[in-house]
Amino acid sequence: MSAPTPYVLPGATLGVIGGGQLGRMFVHAAQRMGYFTAVLDPDAESPAGRVSHHHIHTDYTDVDGLARLAGLADAITTEFENVPSPSLEHLAAARPVAPAAASVAIAQDRIREKAHFVRCGVACAPYAVIETAEQFAAVGDDLLPGILKTARLGYDGKGQQRVATRAELAAAWEAAGGVPCVLEKRLALDYECSVIVARGQDGQMVHFPPQRNLHRDGILAVTEVFAGNIPAGQAARAIEATRAIADGLGYVGVLCVEYFVLADGSMVVNEMAPRPHNSGHWSMDACDLSQFDLQVRTVAGLPLSTPRQHSPAVMLNLLGDLWFVDAGDTAVEPPWADVLALPGVHLHLYGKTDARRGRKMGHLNITGPDIDTVRSTADFAAAVLGLPIPLSE
């Protein structure tokens, strides 16, 4: 009799905690490979729940809901980092869970996250931890001007305040409710980039090419990926640092790490996301394997193949503001037909039932034979949609 396979093979059920757009794209990738899927999310209209074979409508901490998920799924992942880590620990007692609760817990707390980066030998911006009045008093003036960030529950620029003086720092910490924070020194940036890796249960790791990113108001707006988009030395350092961070966690799953490249060419780490990332959405149309395909493979324990980029790509984030081009409050569908008339354009909408300003509604991937063609098409698409141009810095 042959030994049992360590893999969770197609035909089994993969579970995901969280019903947002990342969960939806994971579900689609799993279903293409022949898996059944189960989503746990409290929103009955969640994007992932609406397309999954099973949708468990419970809170992320509901014991009965977690038991139902463990009963349905042969392996389980998560689509966002703020899922309570005790819920992942609870599930891991019954089923394989990737990423592990310990990794997610570190990513949920900027203080622990920065300590992990330091342990891995990856440079951070100069910073100070502020949890007590004594730590606040000990903050050096050399960290100002800076950015005060709450240690927990911050994403897309939320939980962050720019401060230039000690008085502004005091007011910002008070406004944050005196919760644990990190003060980071503001640095002169050249650009931002990110690296996405997938690491298997056996420690095998593959990565996508580094992605050059542009943020507006703290939210990712544009990602460009093509040969030479980042100088070779900086790209190699970012990949090496990301691998060190993943190895230091004993990580299993898809991990994104964001970096700031400074005016002098040096690089510091910003933060990590223990899941697929907005800046990796381009891989859905410009690679033979997307970040969601690799997420399926890591949670199922399957072998990892290095993704191959076959086309230069630009990704445009589509926020709910596009539905409100006029000053009124009535949502109007953007001119998708005009955008889809352009060559190399791939529209991904997330199935959200109502548009709101600032809400991520979808993304647009543009691919083509060369970066000049792709950028030209992306600029035209942005103009049609009313997005700011030029798209690159």
Side-chain angles (χ1 to χ4, degrees):
M1 177 182 261
S2 61
T5 174
Y7 309 135
V8 177
L9 295 174
T13 298
L14 299 181
V16 57
I17 298 185
Q21 64 265 19
L22 298 179
R24 180 186 179 96
M25 289 180 272
F26 169 81
V27 164
H28 282 153
Q31 291 174 349
R32 280 196 305 273
M33 290 179 64
Y35 289 96
F36 295 94
T37 57
V39 169
L40 188 151
D41 189 275
D43 181 4
E45 297 298 324
S46 69
R50 294 173 73 191
V51 299
S52 182
H53 296 95
H54 307 279
H55 186 182
I56 302 167
H57 303 165
T58 66
D59 185 78
Y60 304 123
T61 60
D62 182 79
V63 174
D64 290 338
L66 294 172
R68 287 179 58 199
L69 181 62
L72 285 168
D74 298 281
I76 299 165
T77 189
T78 178
E79 65 117 31
F80 72 118
E81 60 265 44
N82 287 326
V83 60
S85 56
S87 295
L88 298 179
E89 290 179 356
H90 182 84
L91 288 167
R95 291 287 184 263
V97 174
S103 296
V104 173
I106 290 174
Q108 288 174 344
D109 188 314
R110 291 187 192 277
I111 297 172
R112 297 182 63 189
E113 181 182 64
K114 287 187 178 297
H116 177 70
F117 294 154
V118 171
R119 283 195 300 271
C120 294
V122 179
C124 302
Y127 75 95
V129 172
I130 302 177
E131 295 180 285
T132 66
E134 291 75 19
Q135 288 175 322
F136 178 88
V139 169
D141 290 338
D142 59 326
L143 292 180
L144 295 171
I147 303 175
L148 185 71
K149 301 180 177 181
T150 55
R152 299 183 65 84
L153 300 178
Y155 64 96
D156 288 343
K158 296 178 174 64
Q160 301 186 19
Q161 300 180 71
R162 290 174 173 260
V163 294
T165 66
R166 297 194 74 87
E168 289 182 0
L169 175 61
W173 194 37
E174 182 180 359
V179 299
C181 288
V182 169
L183 175 66
E184 290 181 11
K185 182 178 178 64
R186 260 192 279 170
L187 302 173
L189 305 185
D190 186 6
Y191 63 90
E192 299 175 56
C193 67
S194 58
V195 176
I196 292 174
V197 299
R199 188 177 186 276
Q201 297 169 6
D202 59 356
Q204 179 191 9
M205 194 167 356
V206 299
H207 64 83
F208 290 96
Q211 300 140 172
R212 186 159 177 154
N213 302 322
L214 173 65
H215 288 77
R216 294 192 177 103
D217 298 324
I219 300 176
L220 182 66
V222 184
T223 293
E224 289 189 324
V225 191
F226 59 92
N229 66 329
I230 296 172
Q234 291 173 341
R237 290 198 299 275
I239 292 168
E240 181 182 3
T242 306
R243 293 177 67 92
I245 289 167
D247 276 334
L249 291 167
Y251 192 81
V252 178
V254 172
L255 176 75
C256 179
V257 182
E258 296 181 271
Y259 298 91
F260 296 139
V261 180
L262 308 183
D264 63 3
S266 62
M267 183 179 296
V268 296
V269 63
N270 177 27
E271 61 187 13
M272 65 181 179
R275 52 170 172 77
H277 193 260
N278 204 165
S279 66
H281 289 343
W282 65 277
S283 65
M284 299 172 73
D285 297 298
C287 292
D288 56 357
L289 289 172
S290 76
Q291 61 175 342
F292 301 102
D293 294 324
L294 292 180
Q295 186 184 19
V296 172
R297 292 191 183 204
T298 56
V299 71
L302 295 171
L304 300 178
S305 298
T306 299
R308 179 181 61 87
Q309 183 179 2
H310 52 69
S311 303
V314 172
M315 188 280 296
L316 307 182
N317 211 10
L318 304 177
L319 302 182
D321 306 64
L322 296 180
W323 278 251
F324 302 94
V325 291
D326 299 322
D329 294 328
T330 302
V332 177
E333 201 72 16
W336 301 129
D338 295 338
V339 172
L340 292 172
L342 304 173
V345 166
H346 313 266
L347 177 64
H348 299 265
L349 294 177
Y350 301 151
K352 296 183 178 180
T353 54
D354 60 306
R356 297 195 298 267
R357 290 180 175 87
R359 189 184 197 192
K360 293 177 181 176
M361 299 296 293
H363 67 271
L364 203 65
N365 287 338
I366 301 95
T367 60
D370 55 73
I371 189 56
D372 288 339
T373 300
V374 172
R375 279 179 164 169
S376 175
T377 303
D379 282 343
F380 196 92
V384 169
L385 293 172
L387 291 169
I389 51 175
L391 295 172
S392 57
E393 294 173 305

